[in-house]
Amino acid sequence: MKVIICGAGQVGWQIARHLSGEKNDVTIVDLNSDLIRRATDAMDVQGITGHASYPDILERAGARDADMIIAATQSDEVNMVTCQVAHSIFAIPRKIARLRSQSYLTAIYSDLYRRDHMPIDVVISPEREVAEAALQRIAAPAAFDTESFLGGQAQLLGITLEDDCPVVNTPLRQLTDLFSTLRAVVVGVRREGTLFAPDPNDQLFPEDQIYVFSHIEDVNRTLDIFGKSTKKQERVVIIGGGNVGLAVAQSLEKREDRIRAKVIEKDRARAETAADALERTIVLHGDGLDVSLLEEANIERADAVLAVTDDDKTNLLAAVRAKLAGCPMAIVLVNDPSLVPLMGPLDIDAYINPRATTVSSILRHIRHGRVRGVYSIGDAEAEVLEAQVLSTSPMAGKRVQDIDFPEGALIGGVMKGGKVIRPKGDTRIEEGDVVAIFALAADVREVERLLQVSIDFF
């Protein structure tokens, strides 16, 4: 597949890294020659320095025979014009644009992106993706990472094991026997910085970070088995009332299981905008690092603090202050991946990486076969792919134990006839089933092959 990626920032870099690693023909376009040089030195990609929306630049990038263009520059307007030029002049079949401004994303203007108007096939909103990720972290407070799959009937949980975890030093095969009715599978383990797909004889140890794929009804039981509290969140303090914080607060207001939220916003205009948009949520104007303001927000009675300002260091410091004041759980928004190792020493429970959420959203629309969802794990170390099995798929009609999965891949869940089951060795994968597969980055291409339709299907 020939892909043009416009924008060599964090999102463009990661998408290029994924696609070039899978032997796709990738060209990156950016105004910054240093970013282009860094990309071409580190990856097997071509680089073009120039304005992504200029027709002559896109022509140099190979737009005449490109299969897809991904517009992920820092400018919404450049991304939109790039897709228009890609469509009108070069007839590129697939166009994906990252748009940040909420004005462009309002539902009443959705007709703007029709092919006879502004022809964008997929619009990705980082703020909305991050807000959804934050809500999932709040819903599973004991997990450092979460994502929903299979129509919301299953969830991927990232869990850090402590010394008092009741199942450490126990082979996974034995766990399956002990908890035979538990619809959960350990699909990934990160130990001493290395992520791998475990086999049934592997044991779990304290300080392991594990990824568990669980039926939604068994999430609390799964967390309990791995030594985690499942206390319901009832009070949340949100530090940052911008697009992300406001979206989270609005979603919490709509939920049936009432979660009371308070928002702290330093910028007066933003605070007033948030106060006007929210009905039942208290908005406080002030600095989230101010101890007296945290006390006014009753931080010691809150179940969680969510720090989602546009400054990473403010988020980290605000979370630390909130925990020192008595808040038991802290979730932070962090753009800079180099800050992630500080989470443990600072006692921060979970973090959200906007880059990872955006990359996952874009990958969902790139993967081959009937891929319905993709979630990128860690620093592009692995993916969980959700896909429908077609009659021409190499895995159709086979039992799980007979499918030639690569060493770094494990099947986490199967949905048959609308019901999610835990896959076993003798589970037969049929046409129409939806599967969720964990795969290390090096094995994603092989998993795609297992999901890929043959040319005969068309």
Side-chain angles (χ1 to χ4, degrees), residues 131-355:
E132 179 58 34
L135 289 166
Q136 292 201 40
R137 299 292 191 278
I138 291 171
F144 67 82
D145 199 357
T146 57
E147 180 68 14
S148 293
F149 289 93
L150 303 178
Q153 293 189 59
Q155 197 159 22
L156 180 73
L157 304 167
I159 304 170
T160 301
L161 302 185
E162 311 291 346
D163 289 330
D164 58 356
C165 172
V167 293
V168 293
N169 304 318
T170 305
L172 293 177
R173 188 189 304 279
Q174 193 172 332
L175 288 183
T176 303
D177 296 335
L178 288 171
F179 307 104
S180 58
T181 61
L182 182 70
R183 291 167 292 181
V185 179
V186 178
V187 292
V189 177
R190 182 182 288 108
R191 181 174 297 152
E192 296 179 353
T194 300
L195 183 65
F196 62 93
D199 68 41
N201 295 316
D202 281 329
Q203 299 181 38
L204 300 177
F205 300 109
E207 300 184 16
D208 280 353
Q209 290 184 328
I210 65 170
Y211 288 89
V212 186
F213 199 88
S214 170
H215 192 291
I216 193 68
E217 294 175 358
D218 289 356
V219 164
N220 285 346
R221 186 181 171 205
T222 299
L223 290 169
D224 187 57
I225 286 170
F226 289 105
K228 296 297 180 179
S229 166
T230 55
K231 182 180 182 294
K232 184 178 180 294
Q233 307 294 290
E234 296 178 346
R235 299 180 181 87
V236 176
V237 174
I238 301 170
I239 299 175
N243 289 333
V244 174
L246 178 57
V248 171
Q250 288 175 321
S251 296
L252 292 178
E253 283 191 341
K254 295 174 185 175
R255 287 169 67 137
E256 293 180 7
D257 55 331
R258 179 77 184 277
I259 296 179
R260 285 174 284 183
K262 292 181 181 178
V263 175
I264 298 174
E265 171 54 50
K266 188 175 183 179
D267 181 85
R268 177 174 290 278
R270 277 187 183 178
E272 291 174 351
T273 299
D276 290 341
L278 296 167
E279 297 177 5
R280 300 189 303 271
T281 304
I282 295 172
V283 179
L284 302 173
H285 172 233
D287 191 343
L289 294 173
D290 186 339
V291 175
S292 61
L293 191 61
L294 290 173
E295 290 174 352
E296 185 180 343
N298 292 323
I299 193 69
E300 74 281 357
R301 296 184 60 200
D303 296 307
V305 62
L306 177 64
V308 288
T309 75
D310 53 10
D311 183 82
D312 288 355
K313 295 180 179 64
T314 296
N315 293 339
L316 292 171
L317 291 173
V320 171
R321 283 236 161 124
K323 294 206 75 168
L324 289 174
C327 183
M329 179 185 181
I331 306 168
V332 299
L333 179 67
V334 175
N335 288 277
D336 184 354
S338 70
L339 296 175
V340 171
L342 296 176
M343 299 299 161
L346 293 176
D347 192 28
I348 292 172
D349 302 276
Y351 69 94
I352 303 160
N353 182 339
R355 177 192 66 184

Side-chain angles (χ1 to χ4, degrees), residues 8 28-30 32-41 47-49:
I28 301 182
V29 179
D30 199 284
N32 189 320
S33 59
D34 290 336
L35 289 179
I36 291 296
R37 190 178 306 109
R38 184 174 72 101
T40 54
D41 287 347
I48 301 291
T49 301

Side-chain angles (χ1 to χ4, degrees), residues 98-117:
R98 179 179 65 175
L99 301 181
R100 293 181 180 277
S101 173
Q102 297 305 295
S103 182
Y104 288 133
L105 301 166
T106 304
I108 59 174
Y109 304 134
S110 59
D111 275 358
L112 175 64
Y113 306 112
R114 286 184 1 211
R115 294 186 72 82
D116 52 347
H117 291 161

